[in-house]
Amino acid sequence: MSHLHIPDGVLPLPWIAAGIGLTALFVYLALAALKRHDRARVVSRIATLSAVMLLAMSLPIPLLGYHVNLTVLAGILAGPAEGFIAAFVTNLILGLMAHGGITVVGLNTLVTGLEVSLGWLIWRSLRRALRRPFAAAAVSTVIVLLISTTAMLGIVAGTQINPDLALHRHDHSEHADHSEHADNADHADDTDHVGSLKAFAAVVYATGAVGWAIEALVVGSVTEFIAKSRPDMLSPSPDREA
Amino acid sequence: MDVQFVDELAANGRTPLHAALPWVKISASAALLAASIAASTPVAAGAAAVAVVVFASASLGQLRYTVTMALYPVFFASIFALGSVQRSPLFALTIVVKAFSAGLVASTLITTTPFVDIFAGVSRAMPAIVSDALFMGYRSFFILINELQNLLRAVRLRGGAGRGLAQQLRTYGQVLGVVILHSADMTERMYRVMIVRGYSQRIESAREWPPPRTFDYLLIAYAGAVLALILTLK
Amino acid sequence: MENDEIIAQVNCLKHVYPDQTAVDLCGLNFTVHRGQRVAVLGANGSGKSTLIFHLLGLLSPVDGQVSVFGVNPAKQFREIRHRVGVLLQNVDDQIIGPTVWDDVTFTPRALGWPRERVDACAGAILERMEISHLKDRIPHYLSGGEKRKVALAGALVTEPELLIMDEPFTGLDPRSRSELVRLMNHVHSEYGVTYIISTHEIDFVPHIADWVYVLGGQHGITLSGTPQEVFSQPEALRAVSVDLPALAELFEVLQKRGWDVAVPLTVDQAVVELEKSRPGAESLSSKAAPPTSPPTPRAES
């Protein structure tokens, strides 16, 4: 895996709800952008794109145990609107396969959807700057995954609830009067909290970096192959750029 | 994540859970999932996990596989738990156990219920384009995976993917490239079929089901009771 | 069963694909009468699929006219959709519904038929295709032959007047091919369906077609006639890379070696010809040979 799949039971309800709400909004916007296009064509494109992403994710790379996601490639090939819906479809199937949570399909889609959209955007810029499709796609992939992993860390940081509050709520309420004691405890909690987040970030960036390199190499190779065989697929028509 | 194997288990399995009505399994799974997530104390999370394992045991011999599937979210949850492990190991453990329970609910449902029945339930809440893409994407996966397997076999027969990880990954990328080219052709064929067959509205499953039996009622009652218990314990 | 009413017509069709590949189907006109069974033959790249896609309104010609049931399918296919059934080369792509039942009922539901009518028609066609037991099955667990039957059932459920089939034998084992021939002829005789079929399976053509068109790539439509007429022109066929049926080829060689035989297209005809040629044939040739089923085809084309 080149990015984290958020599992069920990790995040608080408001974040889960926000994830679902925002995903619904973006799906709605994507559908609105695709409204004037032939529905059968849109459905067939999203369906095969989702199938390809699912296929890539179901195939572990030997020895390493990683799998690629091809989210950046989805952005390159399909653009942000179809790519975002494909990311949602893929995450929903993955959620049902216990490969990422069902309740957090929204947040997982936001992260992968971000990868699709940024992938499309950065590829378009880099393709002009870097001559080789391999380089443009690989560099796009690394940048996108760095950003999406940081976004994921932001979610985690934003949703870190105080474990003591979660586990010993009654104790806290009982000792609420002892303000001085409570202040000291909170200060210690904050220090621990930052330390834990740093440890968490270190693990995520370290394991993620290997995944980014693998994903970049694979996405670069696929893109180069397509550039040689079917270059038209890499210059999406206005339809696909909706 | 072996989607093909999961699909085969769901379509061809013969366990009590396979025999239960899809809507019953989906409802029971939703209740157990809610219980798993609602559990906010170690005791409640542990109780939910036990209850889910009991539910999953009705899939008999498949339990080992569904538990293995549930370990995947456990791995991710462990990474998340790292953020809290210094302050409260119990909280970290709770996160991991909750992820396990939720993962086991999902893996049990997907390995005992054909995707058609699950998607039929889920897709009603979605816009038609998204739900149609869900149905057709899943079907396309099974067409493309055959191509991918054939290509990988051909690579092996022609001397392998090359020496060194980088070369192997590039070969792997090229194989995926071929599959993507095929998928583009498939998109075009699929589009043609949809046009000539008159695609204009939502793709739906019209499967009809018999009335619930005793096991179905028991399953619903069990899941409801577990949810009530966890809400009390949390 | 055949009459003079023209169902489909193509005149000097020209098409250019986005990659600038040009397909020219001028030459002879392509005309299909009601009740006819028409086979379209040609080498790879000769334009068979292009012709089929134009008849289905999936492509618009650069030049020339296409008419199906009196309308231009590229513009008005919706109007004639319920009258046209389709069986495409790759049935995996053709099956849209999540289950066999969902797929077979797809088009009538899309046409807005009432539920009772949909159920009655789908139930009847599944029974006729002998696949009622597959009703609730998920398509990707069906065999190639079963998928083909499901796709055919989906094409026939609306009781179309015209059935268009693009390489329907591709990927089928010999037994399934013979079974498909039997089904096609059953559908033709029972429902009077007109059909147009593009195929490489030359050996089957005498069993499935009353009329044959041969596409010759840049030369357009080069030959047309009954199977007997078309297959009696081996040189013209070879010029456009189309083989003769195995039997015709064998008897052509026999003719060249001085045998006094006509070129047969079916095993029955071949038996009669051989009986006539052997010593003491007169007494034997009067005995009718028993009818035979379609041949098991030669190696994959």
Side-chain angles (χ1 to χ4, degrees):
Chain A
M1 93 261 97
S2 48
H3 66 241
L4 282 169
H5 297 285
I6 307 172
D8 284 314
V10 170
L11 302 182
L13 193 62
W15 281 82
I16 294 172
I20 292 171
L22 276 175
T23 297
L25 175 68
F26 284 125
V27 167
Y28 173 79
L29 290 174
L31 289 174
L34 297 167
K35 205 171 181 178
R36 64 188 173 86
H37 302 298
D38 185 337
R39 186 172 144 178
R41 201 170 275 289
V42 169
V43 168
S44 55
R45 276 206 301 247
I46 295 173
T48 44
L49 193 62
S50 312
V52 167
M53 287 163 77
L54 198 58
L55 195 66
M57 291 185 200
S58 68
L59 201 74
I61 290 167
L63 301 177
L64 298 174
Y66 277 85
H67 68 70
V68 290
N69 295 297
L70 300 189
T71 43
V72 173
L73 188 71
I76 291 172
L77 294 174
E82 287 178 3
F84 190 88
I85 299 172
F88 172 68
V89 168
T90 310
N91 274 298
L92 186 58
I93 297 173
L94 288 177
L96 289 166
M97 298 274 171
H99 199 91
I102 295 183
T103 56
V104 282
V105 160
L107 283 171
N108 279 327
T109 302
L110 287 180
V111 175
T112 45
L114 177 74
E115 291 175 5
V116 169
S117 308
L118 282 178
W120 169 75
L121 201 66
I122 297 174
W123 156 260
R124 279 165 61 99
S125 317
L126 286 184
R127 200 186 174 189
R128 294 188 189 99
L130 302 172
R131 280 185 185 173
R132 284 188 60 195
F134 177 91
V139 173
S140 303
T141 303
V142 171
I143 296 172
V144 165
L145 292 177
L146 176 65
I147 294 171
S148 74
T149 305
T150 306
M152 169 72 75
L153 282 171
I155 292 175
V156 174
T159 58
Q160 282 290 305
I161 49 173
N162 187 332
D164 292 333
L165 277 175
L167 295 173
H168 311 294
R169 279 169 304 172
H170 300 298
D171 296 347
H172 267 267
S173 58
E174 280 166 16
H175 299 293
D177 291 340
H178 306 288
S179 55
E180 191 183 335
H181 176 77
D183 283 350
N184 290 338
D186 284 351
H187 181 71
D189 276 357
D190 286 347
T191 313
D192 283 352
H193 183 69
V194 172
S196 298
L197 263 179
K198 279 183 178 170
F200 176 63
V203 172
V204 169
Y205 279 123
T207 53
V210 180
W212 306 339
I214 291 171
E215 181 98 17
L217 205 54
V218 172
V219 171
S221 304
V222 175
T223 310
E224 192 172 65
F225 182 84
I226 295 173
K228 283 178 187 162
S229 321
R230 284 279 304 272
D232 56 301
M233 286 175 70
L234 296 179
S235 1
S237 67
D239 268 16
R240 293 187 195 179
E241 295 194 13
Chain B
M1 184 188 60
D2 189 342
V3 181
Q4 262 182 317
F5 185 58
V6 167
D7 192 77
E8 268 175 39
L9 286 179
N12 304 319
R14 297 279 177 274
T15 72
L17 271 183
H18 283 88
L21 291 176
W23 68 264
V24 167
K25 280 183 277 186
I26 293 171
S27 309
S29 299
L32 290 172
L33 188 66
S36 305
I37 292 165
S40 56
T41 66
V43 173
V50 171
V52 169
V53 169
V54 170
F55 164 73
S57 303
S59 68
L60 305 178
Q62 291 183 193
L63 183 62
R64 188 184 294 179
Y65 186 73
T66 47
V67 168
T68 310
M69 281 175 78
L71 291 180
Y72 195 81
V74 165
F75 169 73
F76 282 111
S78 304
I79 297 176
F80 277 85
L82 278 175
S84 309
V85 75
Q86 284 179 329
R87 281 190 299 170
S88 172
L90 272 182
F91 180 72
L93 181 66
T94 305
I95 284 180
V96 173
V97 172
K98 283 166 74 173
F100 171 74
S101 309
L104 189 56
V105 171
S107 61
T108 303
L109 177 67
I110 196 81
T111 52
T112 58
T113 316
F115 79 95
V116 178
D117 300 321
I118 299 177
F119 288 3
V122 174
S123 67
R124 289 202 180 107
M126 292 177 198
I129 287 183
V130 180
S131 120
D132 294 349
L134 183 64
F135 273 116
M136 296 188 70
Y138 195 75
R139 244 193 77 59
S140 305
F141 169 83
F142 284 90
I143 298 169
L144 289 177
I145 198 160
N146 285 333
E147 293 204 21
L148 179 65
Q149 285 165 347
N150 287 341
L151 284 167
L152 290 174
R153 203 172 294 133
V155 168
R156 275 198 299 275
L157 290 172
R158 294 179 64 183
R163 287 184 181 177
L165 185 63
Q167 179 56 38
Q168 285 176 5
L169 286 175
R170 290 196 76 153
T171 308
Y172 175 72
Q174 285 173 357
V175 167
L176 276 177
V178 174
V179 173
I180 287 166
L181 293 193
H182 289 182
S183 79
D185 295 338
M186 193 171 91
T187 305
E188 195 55 35
R189 293 196 300 268
M190 197 188 287
Y191 168 72
R192 285 176 185 149
V193 165
M194 290 167 87
I195 294 298
V196 295
R197 295 196 66 191
Y199 171 78
S200 58
Q201 52 186 349
R202 186 183 279 267
I203 296 171
E204 283 178 316
S205 174
R207 274 223 247 200
E208 288 174 357
W209 299 102
R213 291 172 302 177
T214 311
F215 184 72
D216 296 310
Y217 289 118
L218 281 175
L219 211 54
I220 288 282
Y222 175 74
V226 170
L227 180 58
L229 175 73
I230 298 303
L231 289 177
T232 313
L233 283 178
K234 84 162 197 163
Chain C
M1 195 173 287
E2 189 180 326
N3 68 27
D4 287 341
E5 184 193 344
I6 293 174
I7 278 187
Q9 200 161 25
V10 177
N11 295 324
C12 201
L13 176 74
K14 289 180 183 171
H15 186 83
V16 180
Y17 283 96
D19 66 356
Q20 299 308 308
T21 306
V23 177
D24 190 335
L25 295 178
C26 276
L28 301 170
N29 281 348
F30 179 88
T31 307
V32 179
H33 293 94
R34 183 176 288 280
Q36 230 178 3
R37 299 177 302 161
V38 173
V40 180
L41 307 180
N44 283 341
S46 62
K48 296 191 297 296
S49 292
T50 305
L51 175 66
I52 297 285
F53 290 161
H54 276 279
L55 290 168
L56 292 171
L58 292 169
L59 299 174
S60 291
V62 171
D63 200 6
Q65 282 92 42
V66 181
S67 158
V68 179
F69 292 115
V71 304
N72 177 354
K75 290 181 180 161
Q76 295 155 287
F77 188 74
R78 271 172 195 275
E79 291 174 22
I80 56 167
R81 194 175 58 216
H82 63 287
R83 303 173 75 179
V84 182
V86 187
L87 184 65
L88 295 177
Q89 186 174 353
N90 192 338
V91 279
D92 263 325
D93 300 334
Q94 178 159 354
I95 298 174
I96 297 175
T99 65
V100 168
W101 178 261
D102 297 327
D103 189 72
V104 172
T105 57
F106 181 86
T107 304
R109 280 190 286 152
L111 289 169
W113 287 12
R115 171 82 184 266
E116 297 74 27
R117 190 179 169 198
V118 172
D119 289 353
C121 288
I125 198 70
L126 287 178
E127 211 160 287
R128 288 216 173 90
M129 295 284 150
E130 297 164 8
I131 51 172
S132 296
H133 60 290
L134 302 177
K135 182 173 171 266
D136 290 323
R137 293 280 295 277
I138 294 167
H140 54 255
Y141 288 115
L142 301 178
S143 70
E146 287 172 335
K147 282 181 193 164
R148 195 77 52 165
K149 281 187 178 180
V150 170
L152 192 57
L156 293 172
V157 67
T158 54
E159 296 178 4
E161 296 160 61
L162 173 64
L163 181 59
I164 297 178
M165 293 174 275
D166 186 20
E167 305 279 4
F169 300 111
T170 305
L172 289 184
D173 60 38
R175 190 174 173 170
S176 303
R177 291 179 198 198
S178 300
E179 173 69 5
L180 184 57
V181 169
R182 190 188 64 77
L183 274 175
M184 285 160 59
N185 287 331
H186 171 73
V187 163
H188 177 71
S189 58
E190 191 177 343
Y191 302 98
V193 176
T194 305
Y195 62 73
I196 301 169
I197 172 172
S198 78
T199 184
H200 285 293
E201 295 294 340
I202 303 290
D203 289 319
F204 279 129
V205 171
H207 297 274
I208 57 171
D210 312 311
W211 198 260
V212 177
Y213 286 98
V214 180
L215 308 189
Q218 291 306 312
H219 307 291
I221 302 174
T222 55
L223 286 173
S224 79
T226 63
Q228 194 74 49
E229 288 166 353
V230 168
F231 291 130
S232 61
Q233 303 174 64
E235 295 313 320
L237 287 170
R238 286 189 187 112
V240 292
S241 305
V242 173
D243 285 338
L244 284 176
L247 272 175
E249 206 169 326
L250 170 67
F251 275 70
E252 191 198 6
V253 173
L254 292 176
Q255 277 180 338
K256 283 179 183 164
R257 293 190 178 183
W259 288 49
D260 183 19
V261 284
V263 172
L265 295 179
T266 65
V267 173
D268 294 350
Q269 292 169 2
V271 169
V272 171
E273 287 301 317
L274 289 173
E275 292 286 11
K276 276 196 294 189
S277 301
R278 76 174 186 176
E282 296 211 352
S283 59
L284 288 168
S285 60
S286 58
K287 291 180 184 174
T292 54
S293 53
T296 296
R298 288 174 288 175
E300 284 285 333
S301 53

